[in-house]
Amino acid sequence: MSILPSISDALDEKKVTSAINKKFNNFVPAFYKFVSEWIINAYSNFKDIEMYMILIYLVNNDFKFYRKNGIQVDYNTFYQDKTLEIEEIKIIEISEALEIPKESVRRKIIILEKLGVLKRSRKKIFIDRTAYETVRPESALKNISYLVSISSKILKQENKIPNFFSSEEISDTIKKNFSFCWYEFYKFIFSYYFRWRKILGDLETLSIALLIISNASSNKDLIIQDIDIEKWRNRISHADKVGLNSMSISDITGIPRPTVVRKVNSLIKQGYAKIDQKKLISLNIEKKVFSNTQKMQERTVKDVSVLIYKILNKASIN
């Protein structure tokens, strides 16, 4: 006889946020690896991150349909077909949701059709998943599973949950509850990246900024002992002792070097980066942007905590 899950044992956003903030340095390397690699992979598909965002917005409408109608679709079932039927494309709706000008949305939709990613058959519209590189989100699944696993370790140490979950266990949970988990995943993705786009100006600049902060947050000096979010903020700008050159950033992100140089100069002017005499670029959060960055980070921790607790609650039930 199966035992009903205890309501009192269920996680919520506040428990996760509290634990993450307390041991922030243990959490943040996995987080920035996740968000940095996701946006780099997004760029690699069409050399246009917004175009990829439009595509996953269309895919996410299917997840919304499943959720609205109480339909649970697992990972293998969702990807067993090479094509995915989607609803009618509404330019204005996409424009408003993603805050991309209507003409830009229309132009990018036309390009997706020319590339064979979007296909029309009579009144039906399909996404041809073989026409773009990331057919299955294997890298994203691996990184989000690791992030949630690290979070479960922190939560267990803080006595918020009874058990630690391995990356493999989290991955299995996500695959089993794929339509539910990936709906929540995309909700975080849209909120996080577009919130930062408003600050930095475009998603390519954000991709470069995330690589720079990911490089800084992986510094071993920040990981050897538990550091809360306040101490981490005070130390992170001085953590990157090596930095990255523009060629390395270009190679990793796929963004052309002249564009990288221009975007890095923008980050320096805005107060988020610095460049030394050896042309090495590193994180440098100036006082003029520190307060706003702090607020953005607090919002990010709350948003990712929602994603984490919902996946962990599924793992606990499974």
Side-chain angles (χ1 to χ4, degrees):
M1 183 177 179
S2 61
I3 301 173
L4 288 172
S6 172
I7 294 175
S8 62
D9 289 339
L11 274 174
D12 58 29
E13 172 203 316
K14 291 181 180 179
K15 290 179 182 178
V16 178
T17 299
S18 173
I20 288 173
N21 283 342
K22 192 171 182 180
K23 297 188 174 183
F24 196 68
N25 66 310
N26 295 323
F27 168 82
V28 82
F31 174 77
Y32 282 117
K33 175 179 171 61
F34 154 52
V35 292
S36 177
E37 290 190 6
W38 191 92
I39 200 169
I40 287 171
N41 288 336
Y43 180 82
S44 71
N45 282 281
F46 310 114
K47 308 303 179 186
D48 184 329
I49 301 171
E50 285 188 346
M51 190 182 298
Y52 188 75
M53 289 291 196
I54 291 171
L55 182 62
I56 66 169
Y57 175 85
L58 296 172
V59 173
N60 198 42
N61 283 339
D62 276 38
F63 291 133
K64 288 180 182 178
F65 173 82
Y66 300 147
R67 190 180 180 93
K68 182 180 179 181
N69 293 279
I71 301 169
Q72 187 65 264
V73 181
D74 65 44
Y75 180 84
N76 291 328
T77 300
F78 186 75
Y79 285 104
Q80 68 183 358
D81 294 326
K82 293 181 179 179
T83 59
L84 176 68
E85 185 177 353
I86 59 174
E87 292 181 331
E88 177 187 359
I89 297 174
K90 298 176 181 178
I91 302 295
I92 295 177
E93 182 182 289
I94 297 171
S95 174
E96 291 177 350
L98 304 185
E99 298 183 19
I100 302 172
K102 287 186 291 183
E103 286 306 313
S104 294
V105 173
R106 185 175 287 106
R107 186 176 67 254
K108 293 176 193 295
I109 291 290
I110 290 171
I111 293 173
L112 287 171
E113 289 180 340
K114 289 180 178 179
L115 291 172
V117 177
L118 295 179
K119 294 183 177 180
R120 298 176 187 269
S121 178
R122 296 179 182 177
K123 293 183 179 180
K124 294 183 178 180
I125 305 171
F126 298 91
I127 293 177
D128 184 351
R129 287 189 282 218
T130 65
Y132 60 101
E133 186 179 343
T134 311
V135 179
R136 292 175 182 247
E138 293 177 359
S139 176
L141 179 60
K142 180 181 177 181
N143 284 336
I144 191 63
S145 296
Y146 179 68
L147 178 67
V148 177
S149 176
I150 288 293
S151 301
S152 77
K153 184 177 181 180
I154 294 171
L155 287 159
K156 187 178 186 305
Q157 290 171 347
E158 294 298 305
N159 296 315
K160 303 293 184 182
I161 59 175
N163 301 309
F164 158 76
F165 294 94
S166 68
S167 294
E168 292 74 18
E169 289 173 314
I170 297 299
S171 180
D172 289 343
T173 294
I174 294 173
K175 286 182 176 180
K176 184 178 178 179
N177 303 276
F178 188 67
S179 57
F180 172 87
C181 293
W182 229 240
Y183 169 80
E184 296 296 336
F185 175 83
Y186 279 153
K187 190 162 70 172
F188 170 77
I189 288 294
F190 289 128
S191 173
Y192 177 76
Y193 290 112
F194 289 141
R195 186 162 62 245
W196 270 107
R197 181 186 61 181
K198 286 183 179 179
I199 301 296
L200 299 180
D202 60 78
L203 293 171
E204 284 71 25
T205 301
L206 175 58
S207 178
I208 293 167
L210 287 174
L211 180 61
I212 293 170
I213 194 170
S214 179
N215 189 56
S217 65
S218 62
N219 187 298
K220 292 180 180 179
D221 292 341
L222 290 175
I223 303 173
I224 56 175
Q225 59 181 334
D226 293 340
I227 300 174
D228 64 24
I229 192 169
E230 293 297 331
K231 290 179 181 177
W232 185 89
R233 285 174 184 150
N234 292 329
R235 298 183 189 183
I236 189 61
S237 283
H238 310 288
D240 191 357
K241 299 176 182 178
V242 179
L244 297 164
N245 60 43
S246 58
M247 184 59 73
S248 296
I249 294 173
S250 177
D251 289 342
I252 295 169
T253 63
I255 299 171
R257 186 175 177 277
T259 305
V260 167
V261 172
R262 189 171 69 253
K263 303 292 185 185
V264 166
N265 286 335
S266 174
L267 288 170
I268 293 170
K269 288 179 181 177
Q270 291 184 67
Y272 292 101
K274 63 182 178 182
I275 187 167
D276 64 18
Q277 293 179 342
K278 295 180 180 179
K279 303 294 182 182
L280 293 174
I281 302 141
S282 57
L283 188 69
N284 183 46
I285 301 175
E286 295 180 7
K287 289 183 179 180
K288 63 181 180 181
V289 296
F290 185 85
S291 177
N292 192 40
T293 302
Q294 181 177 332
K295 291 176 184 177
M296 293 281 283
Q297 193 174 62
E298 289 170 356
R299 172 70 185 276
T300 295
V301 172
K302 288 182 180 180
D303 285 354
V304 78
S305 293
V306 171
L307 174 61
I308 290 167
Y309 92 72
K310 288 187 176 181
I311 293 176
L312 283 176
N313 280 342
K314 286 289 185 184
S316 299
I317 294 170
N318 292 339

